[in-house]
Amino acid sequence: MATTAIGVGVGAGVGGGVLLGNSICFRKTQQLSISKTSLVSVSEIGFVTSQLSGIRISYNPPKPLSAPFSPALQPVIARRICPFTGKKANRANKVSFSNHKTKKLQFVNLQYKRVWWEAGKRYVKLRLSTKALKTIEKNGLDAVAKKAGIDLRKM
């Protein structure tokens, strides 16, 4: 697609325009002259629609960088991942009777469970999968937590 520029008279003190598709963008401008008779202030209007086959002329003033950058605080969301086994949701197809396939997630069976911690002589409340619960019953809480790299003193 070839882009052709249509001559637009630009007043004095303009830094030059860039033609992007059907719009001309100006960086530093005070006044813009569309025709020899009309003179329009771009900083007041924001954009001017010209009579020349719908060409849109816009001016975007630069944003000040004086404010320091501060990332937006987002709440911590408990993800559906078992910390002991690392199990997470599985992407699968839901297949209808007509063999129409749609995407779905098969989530892990996570449960809140109070488990007795023998070394700490107290209960620890954990959110773990049922598979991890069976593994803890077989091997013990200390062995499974050590293998997963979990510090039970912080729980």
Side-chain angles (χ1 to χ4, degrees):
M1 176 178 164
T3 307
T4 58
I6 300 174
V8 176
V10 178
V14 176
V18 178
L19 181 66
L20 299 173
N22 287 339
S23 64
I24 302 173
C25 297
F26 293 93
R27 287 285 176 211
K28 295 172 85 177
T29 181
Q30 294 298 326
Q31 293 180 344
L32 176 67
S33 174
I34 295 174
S35 65
K36 292 183 180 179
T37 59
S38 66
L39 189 64
V40 179
S41 175
V42 176
S43 63
E44 293 175 6
I45 296 177
F47 68 92
V48 177
T49 303
S50 124
Q51 280 78 28
L52 302 173
S53 70
I55 294 177
R56 180 177 169 171
I57 302 169
S58 63
Y59 171 71
N60 297 327
K63 296 177 182 176
L65 297 175
S66 61
F69 175 74
S70 62
L73 296 175
Q74 296 180 352
V76 178
I77 300 172
R79 296 181 62 195
R80 296 177 182 174
I81 297 177
C82 177
F84 290 95
T85 59
K87 288 182 173 285
K88 56 185 176 181
N90 180 39
R91 291 195 56 104
N93 283 327
K94 180 180 178 182
V95 182
S96 67
F97 181 74
S98 63
N99 206 22
H100 181 75
K101 296 173 181 70
T102 56
K103 297 288 184 184
K104 73 172 189 173
L105 285 176
Q106 295 172 338
F107 293 109
V108 182
N109 188 7
L110 291 178
Q111 305 292 326
Y112 286 101
K113 183 72 178 168
R114 276 183 23 176
V115 181
W116 178 255
W117 180 31
E118 191 65 40
K121 303 280 192 259
R122 65 183 177 101
Y123 281 100
V124 181
K125 188 173 182 182
L126 302 171
R127 185 177 191 219
L128 42 85
S129 64
T130 52
K131 178 70 174 179
L133 187 60
K134 290 172 74 174
T135 307
I136 288 171
E137 289 177 2
K138 180 180 178 182
N139 300 333
L141 181 61
D142 287 326
V144 176
K146 184 177 179 182
K147 185 176 179 182
I150 295 173
D151 187 15
L152 292 173
R153 289 174 285 172
K154 295 180 180 179
M155 299 203 174

